Amino acid sequence: MKPKGPFYGRSVSVVHDLTADEQWYLYRKTAEIKAAVLEGRDLSAYRFGDTELSVYLIFLEDSTRTKESFRNAAVFHQATVSVFDAAHSSFNKKESLTDTLKMLVGYSRRSIFIIRSTVEGVTRALEVTIGDYCRKAGIAPPSFLNAGDGKHEHPSQEFLDEYSFLEKKNWNRDSIHIALTGDLYFGRTVHSKADGLKIFKEVRVDLVAPSELGLPDFYRQRMIDNGFILRTFPSIDAYLAQGEVADLWYFTRLQLERMGEDVLDKVGRLKHAVTVRPDHLDKLPLGTKFYHPLPQNRTEPTIPDFVTPLDLNGWDEQSRNGYFTRITLIGMVAGCLGFDFTGKLKVHEHPADDFVETGRINPHGKHTEYKTGIKPVDDGIVIDHIGMGRSVEQIWKLLDKIRRNLQLNYLASMGVFSSVKSDVVKGLISIPDLPELGFKKVKKLAALSPGCTLNLVRSKHVIQKYRLHMPPRIYNFAEIGCRNENCVSHAKQHEGISPEFERRGEGFVCRFCERPHTYDDIWTD
Ligand code: NCD
């Protein structure tokens, strides 16, 4: 049995699945491997060197560089490499990815799946479902590497991009000033920059794109939260008309295949705004480099052919770096690299279930409040302060939703009242003779009506009072769903993944595709 390094068995769905220290390790190790390869040195210390490792490439979207560099990196490790023939597989018979992978994991002692799909959040979902399946079946859970999921993220591309920027900057991480131009809306390689650029201490990002191709608010906010300084320009012309131009430019292709008719109609104008012209060149700072994840559209490239032979060309070397960074990434998760890692390892935080708070009760008092217009409860439960601050109509709707979702089909009463202490209206449900609600229902209640109180009444006394807060995670409910139709958890995808949301600031994000949702958005019912 081979020794297993600290990254053994890990999956990478998004950039922040690796901590900054882990990313830095990947970059330093890549530099070592690249030098050893180019100098023709002995490479045995870097390779897995055993066919018991199976690497599957499952590409459900077109690819040249990502697929070939991953395939060659797997060959470097002397792994058994399978390029899954997605076009002629049972995917055409509408088989789910989960069922396909359940079969593939059984063939090897250790597998790594590299997946590209239009479906967002797919590797995260498989990490959960196939991970559970393997643990039950006594098979080693595989690693999943996201090779680009829809317009979400492309972490392995991000690692080679950052590696290339570090080479340009002679490994100085103090600061970076970068212009991101092209399709910032659909470009997943740009989205991954919101976390990838954190490798630098001071980050200035200039977003150069017409509004139709602008960076989605979610990533813009994430960049701001990460302390980046942002500026926005509608075109390369507008950007070059001001004094502070970056010496590092990152171009992206217009993702025509993902655009709707409304945007496609304007493609000519949009492309013009982000295409380089000869008269732009003398406005660039000395030593400027252009990067591009490629491919370029050969009939209408945004970096035209006249730039290719110039020193501005950083993209050819960047593209070569894909091979080296992916050798390192596969080696890390296969467990043969990482023994010399020092720093902070990723800990998967599972937010504490901090949604129930025990309230103060009056030891002498009988809760007269619960007599108002409603049958007094001698023994049972009373849910109070439902929908406080909302309108009477909204509270009635909420009461109805709570009753249906919690299946409170008891002899009970409910109503909307004005609070004793203020004019604010609130909803109230009293259920005589029900001793308690049970954990699952309490959690659901907290998710449906954060801020409400749950009172346990015995012999006309409130013996226990709980104030319920918005849970940090909302999951396991039939009535929630991600609004993104391309998300792996969306009913339309038929992958059987139950939706899950994590609280982020004021709202929630989908655990799989990270689409932001307001609290009301997550409920389908
Ligand atoms: C990118 C991708 O697939 O997201 N290409 C790549 O992986 N090298 C960019 C693109 O398709 O435009």
Side-chain angles (χ1 to χ4, degrees), residues 326-388:
R326 287 173 174 129
I327 287 177
T328 312
L329 185 58
I330 290 179
M332 285 166 73
V333 301
C336 70
L337 297 177
F339 297 99
D340 50 348
F341 171 76
T342 51
K344 197 167 169 278
L345 272 173
K346 180 83 183 176
V347 195
H348 272 282
E349 322 86 23
H350 264 289
D353 274 340
D354 60 348
F355 66 94
V356 185
E357 185 195 332
T358 314
R360 269 187 343 115
I361 43 173
N362 176 355
H364 314 292
K366 193 165 89 170
H367 233 283
T368 47
E369 199 185 340
Y370 300 135
K371 286 181 177 170
T372 329
I374 207 164
K375 185 180 178 296
V377 175
D378 293 345
D379 289 286
I381 63 168
V382 176
I383 307 166
D384 196 1
H385 304 104
I386 296 168
M388 272 289 258

Side-chain angles (χ1 to χ4, degrees), residues 55-63 66-67 70-71 81-87 89 91 96-105 111-118 122-123 126 130 142-149 495:
V55 177
Y56 283 93
L57 296 149
I58 303 182
F59 277 65
L60 303 162
E61 255 189 23
D62 297 340
S63 174
T66 306
K67 190 171 174 182
F70 262 128
R71 191 176 65 76
V81 186
S82 302
V83 181
F84 189 78
D85 185 4
S89 69
F91 290 139
S96 70
L97 258 168
T98 309
D99 281 352
T100 308
L101 265 77
K102 273 185 184 168
M103 171 204 61
L104 295 178
V105 283
S111 329
I112 298 176
F113 290 96
I114 298 165
I115 301 180
R116 169 172 286 192
S117 172
T118 49
V122 84
T123 47
L126 290 168
I130 300 297
S143 295
F144 293 94
L145 301 178
N146 177 8
D149 58 336
E495 283 290 344

Side-chain angles (χ1 to χ4, degrees), residues 61-67 116 147-150 153-154 156-157 160 186-189 250 252-255 257-258 292-296 326:
E61 255 189 23
D62 297 340
S63 174
T64 299
R65 268 157 216 84
T66 306
K67 190 171 174 182
R116 169 172 286 192
D149 58 336
E153 278 222 29
H154 193 347
S156 70
Q157 177 71 42
L160 81 92
F186 291 105
R188 55 194 172 199
T189 66
Y250 188 85
T252 51
R253 180 178 66 89
L254 268 62
Q255 312 260 316
E257 71 278 19
R258 301 187 209 281
H292 195 307
L294 303 177
Q296 280 234 80
R326 287 173 174 129

Side-chain angles (χ1 to χ4, degrees), residues 146-437:
N146 177 8
D149 58 336
K151 60 179 184 333
H152 179 216
E153 278 222 29
H154 193 347
S156 70
Q157 177 71 42
E158 184 56 19
F159 300 146
L160 81 92
D161 292 347
E162 294 304 325
Y163 177 82
S164 307
F165 304 159
L166 283 163
E167 278 189 336
K168 167 173 168 34
K169 298 186 76 61
N170 286 324
W171 295 88
N172 181 344
R173 295 166 72 186
D174 288 347
S175 65
I176 189 166
H177 182 193
I178 184 170
L180 302 177
T181 186
D183 187 346
L184 313 185
Y185 184 81
F186 291 105
R188 55 194 172 199
T189 66
V190 171
H191 303 165
S192 287
K193 297 221 156 9
D195 283 327
L197 284 165
K198 271 167 72 180
I199 199 82
F200 294 95
K201 289 193 191 78
E202 228 182 83
V203 182
R204 289 168 67 199
V205 179
D206 295 332
L207 304 167
V208 183
S211 59
E212 293 88 339
L213 303 179
L215 188 68
D217 283 344
F218 174 64
Y219 294 106
R220 176 186 281 273
Q221 191 54 48
R222 193 181 267 189
M223 287 187 177
I224 293 169
D225 293 345
N226 284 337
F228 302 180
I229 298 164
L230 298 190
R231 297 188 303 164
T232 306
F233 302 89
S235 64
I236 294 182
D237 280 329
Y239 183 48
L240 292 174
Q242 52 87 51
E244 286 175 62
V245 175
D247 66 351
L248 208 152
W249 288 49
Y250 188 85
F251 288 78
T252 51
R253 180 178 66 89
L254 268 62
Q255 312 260 316
L256 304 180
E257 71 278 19
R258 301 187 209 281
M259 290 177 185
E261 292 297 320
D262 50 331
V263 185
L264 281 173
D265 281 350
K266 306 175 194 162
V267 159
R269 174 176 64 78
L270 302 178
K271 211 171 245 178
H272 181 258
V274 292
T275 297
V276 182
R277 290 193 315 265
D279 61 294
H280 287 151
L281 299 194
D282 60 357
K283 300 190 181 90
L284 297 170
L286 211 64
T288 297
K289 284 264 186 242
F290 286 173
Y291 295 89
H292 195 307
L294 303 177
Q296 280 234 80
N297 177 333
R298 73 173 185 277
T299 55
E300 290 176 337
T302 54
I303 311 178
D305 289 343
F306 73 87
V307 191
T308 307
L310 306 180
D311 281 347
L312 283 168
N313 181 339
W315 65 87
D316 282 337
E317 183 71 17
Q318 174 196 7
S319 165
R320 280 195 292 278
N321 286 336
Y323 172 55
F324 302 114
T325 43
R326 287 173 174 129
I327 287 177
T328 312
L329 185 58
I330 290 179
M332 285 166 73
V333 301
C336 70
L337 297 177
F339 297 99
D340 50 348
F341 171 76
T342 51
K344 197 167 169 278
L345 272 173
K346 180 83 183 176
V347 195
H348 272 282
E349 322 86 23
H350 264 289
D353 274 340
D354 60 348
F355 66 94
V356 185
E357 185 195 332
T358 314
R360 269 187 343 115
I361 43 173
N362 176 355
H364 314 292
K366 193 165 89 170
H367 233 283
T368 47
E369 199 185 340
Y370 300 135
K371 286 181 177 170
T372 329
I374 207 164
K375 185 180 178 296
V377 175
D378 293 345
D379 289 286
I381 63 168
V382 176
I383 307 166
D384 196 1
H385 304 104
I386 296 168
M388 272 289 258
R390 296 194 175 207
S391 71
V392 173
E393 191 190 346
Q394 285 171 329
I395 297 174
W396 271 113
K397 276 197 182 144
L398 188 55
L399 285 171
D400 188 43
K401 201 169 185 171
I402 293 172
R403 191 193 59 73
R404 276 185 292 115
N405 283 315
L406 271 64
Q407 294 176 324
L408 302 178
N409 302 319
Y410 306 105
L411 289 175
S413 338
M414 64 181 187
V416 180
F417 306 94
S418 64
S419 165
V420 175
K421 293 178 199 132
S422 66
D423 288 340
V424 184
V425 280
K426 61 176 188 174
L428 199 143
I429 301 176
S430 72
I431 314 170
D433 303 324
L434 185 73
E436 55 176 48
L437 266 186

Side-chain angles (χ1 to χ4, degrees), residues 420-490:
V420 175
K421 293 178 199 132
S422 66
D423 288 340
V424 184
V425 280
K426 61 176 188 174
L428 199 143
I429 301 176
S430 72
I431 314 170
D433 303 324
L434 185 73
E436 55 176 48
L437 266 186
F439 182 78
K440 202 169 169 207
K441 284 190 178 174
V442 173
K443 189 156 193 189
K444 205 167 196 177
L445 180 61
L448 282 166
S449 182
C452 75
T453 53
L454 174 66
N455 301 273
L456 306 187
V457 185
R458 299 287 179 275
S459 309
K460 302 183 181 176
H461 285 84
V462 176
I463 57 151
Q464 194 70 63
K465 183 192 271 294
Y466 301 104
R467 182 168 294 280
L468 306 186
H469 300 290
M470 187 74 88
R473 287 196 301 152
I474 299 188
Y475 60 103
N476 241 341
F477 297 146
E479 306 81 7
I480 59 173
C482 180
R483 299 267 157 174
N484 175 9
E485 288 190 359
N486 295 323
C487 175
V488 68
S489 71
H490 194 280

